[in-house]
mmCIF file of all heavy atoms in Angstrom:
data_model
loop_
_atom_site.group_PDB
_atom_site.id
_atom_site.type_symbol
_atom_site.label_atom_id
_atom_site.label_comp_id
_atom_site.label_asym_id
_atom_site.label_seq_id
_atom_site.Cartn_x
_atom_site.Cartn_y
_atom_site.Cartn_z
ATOM 1 N N MET A 1 0.849 -1.205 0.000
ATOM 2 C CA MET A 1 0.000 0.000 0.000
ATOM 3 C C MET A 1 0.880 1.249 0.000
ATOM 4 O O MET A 1 1.855 1.324 0.745
ATOM 5 C CB MET A 1 -0.908 -0.011 1.240
ATOM 6 C CG MET A 1 -2.004 1.016 1.190
ATOM 7 S SD MET A 1 -3.114 0.881 2.622
ATOM 8 C CE MET A 1 -2.242 1.904 3.812
ATOM 9 N N SER A 2 0.539 2.207 -0.835
ATOM 10 C CA SER A 2 1.341 3.427 -0.941
ATOM 11 C C SER A 2 1.187 4.272 0.311
ATOM 12 O O SER A 2 0.102 4.394 0.872
ATOM 13 C CB SER A 2 0.892 4.220 -2.174
ATOM 14 O OG SER A 2 1.418 5.519 -2.128
ATOM 15 N N SER A 3 2.301 4.876 0.752
ATOM 16 C CA SER A 3 2.237 5.774 1.905
ATOM 17 C C SER A 3 2.123 7.223 1.445
ATOM 18 O O SER A 3 2.324 8.149 2.214
ATOM 19 C CB SER A 3 3.480 5.594 2.773
ATOM 20 O OG SER A 3 4.629 5.954 2.025
ATOM 21 N N GLN A 4 1.822 7.378 0.147
ATOM 22 C CA GLN A 4 1.709 8.717 -0.428
ATOM 23 C C GLN A 4 0.630 9.534 0.290
ATOM 24 O O GLN A 4 -0.424 9.020 0.629
ATOM 25 C CB GLN A 4 1.322 8.563 -1.903
ATOM 26 C CG GLN A 4 1.796 9.690 -2.779
ATOM 27 C CD GLN A 4 1.463 9.409 -4.244
ATOM 28 O OE1 GLN A 4 0.303 9.315 -4.612
ATOM 29 N NE2 GLN A 4 2.491 9.293 -5.071
ATOM 30 N N LYS A 5 0.933 10.819 0.553
ATOM 31 C CA LYS A 5 -0.042 11.730 1.146
ATOM 32 C C LYS A 5 -0.416 12.773 0.098
ATOM 33 O O LYS A 5 0.458 13.488 -0.405
ATOM 34 C CB LYS A 5 0.547 12.427 2.377
ATOM 35 C CG LYS A 5 0.975 11.469 3.481
ATOM 36 C CD LYS A 5 -0.198 10.935 4.260
ATOM 37 C CE LYS A 5 0.231 10.294 5.552
ATOM 38 N NZ LYS A 5 -0.217 8.924 5.711
ATOM 39 N N LYS A 6 -1.708 12.855 -0.188
ATOM 40 C CA LYS A 6 -2.167 13.763 -1.238
ATOM 41 C C LYS A 6 -2.766 15.020 -0.603
ATOM 42 O O LYS A 6 -3.717 14.934 0.174
ATOM 43 C CB LYS A 6 -3.205 13.068 -2.119
ATOM 44 C CG LYS A 6 -2.618 11.918 -2.925
ATOM 45 C CD LYS A 6 -3.676 11.278 -3.779
ATOM 46 C CE LYS A 6 -3.078 10.154 -4.613
ATOM 47 N NZ LYS A 6 -4.122 9.436 -5.379
ATOM 48 N N PRO A 27 9.233 13.354 0.831
ATOM 49 C CA PRO A 27 9.019 12.803 -0.512
ATOM 50 C C PRO A 27 7.653 12.155 -0.716
ATOM 51 O O PRO A 27 7.182 12.043 -1.844
ATOM 52 C CB PRO A 27 10.139 11.753 -0.648
ATOM 53 C CG PRO A 27 10.605 11.464 0.744
ATOM 54 C CD PRO A 27 10.354 12.706 1.531
ATOM 55 N N GLU A 28 6.985 11.755 0.383
ATOM 56 C CA GLU A 28 5.675 11.103 0.223
ATOM 57 C C GLU A 28 4.544 12.096 -0.046
ATOM 58 O O GLU A 28 3.444 11.703 -0.415
ATOM 59 C CB GLU A 28 5.336 10.242 1.456
ATOM 60 C CG GLU A 28 5.010 11.017 2.722
ATOM 61 C CD GLU A 28 6.212 11.349 3.592
ATOM 62 O OE1 GLU A 28 7.349 11.408 3.054
ATOM 63 O OE2 GLU A 28 6.028 11.564 4.801
ATOM 64 N N ASN A 29 4.812 13.400 0.127
ATOM 65 C CA ASN A 29 3.767 14.403 -0.089
ATOM 66 C C ASN A 29 3.633 14.742 -1.568
ATOM 67 O O ASN A 29 4.616 15.101 -2.224
ATOM 68 C CB ASN A 29 4.076 15.687 0.697
ATOM 69 C CG ASN A 29 3.908 15.498 2.190
ATOM 70 O OD1 ASN A 29 3.242 14.569 2.636
ATOM 71 N ND2 ASN A 29 4.499 16.386 2.980
ATOM 72 N N VAL A 30 2.415 14.640 -2.061
ATOM 73 C CA VAL A 30 2.108 15.013 -3.448
ATOM 74 C C VAL A 30 1.068 16.134 -3.386
ATOM 75 O O VAL A 30 0.022 15.976 -2.763
ATOM 76 C CB VAL A 30 1.553 13.806 -4.237
ATOM 77 C CG1 VAL A 30 1.173 14.231 -5.647
ATOM 78 C CG2 VAL A 30 2.566 12.676 -4.274
ATOM 79 N N ASN A 50 6.693 16.371 -7.571
ATOM 80 C CA ASN A 50 5.566 15.963 -6.729
ATOM 81 C C ASN A 50 4.447 16.999 -6.665
ATOM 82 O O ASN A 50 3.725 17.082 -5.677
ATOM 83 C CB ASN A 50 6.020 15.634 -5.297
ATOM 84 C CG ASN A 50 6.629 14.248 -5.198
ATOM 85 O OD1 ASN A 50 6.886 13.623 -6.214
ATOM 86 N ND2 ASN A 50 6.845 13.775 -3.995
ATOM 87 N N ASP A 72 -6.049 13.677 0.745
ATOM 88 C CA ASP A 72 -6.099 13.346 2.178
ATOM 89 C C ASP A 72 -6.358 14.578 3.038
ATOM 90 O O ASP A 72 -6.917 14.476 4.128
ATOM 91 C CB ASP A 72 -4.764 12.724 2.622
ATOM 92 C CG ASP A 72 -4.467 11.437 1.877
ATOM 93 O OD1 ASP A 72 -5.292 10.501 1.981
ATOM 94 O OD2 ASP A 72 -3.441 11.362 1.169
#
Side-chain angles (χ1 to χ4, degrees):
M1 192 176 87
S2 166
S3 63
Q4 208 176 63
K5 300 284 195 235
K6 293 180 178 175
E28 71 271 24
N29 289 341
V30 177
N50 280 11
D72 299 301

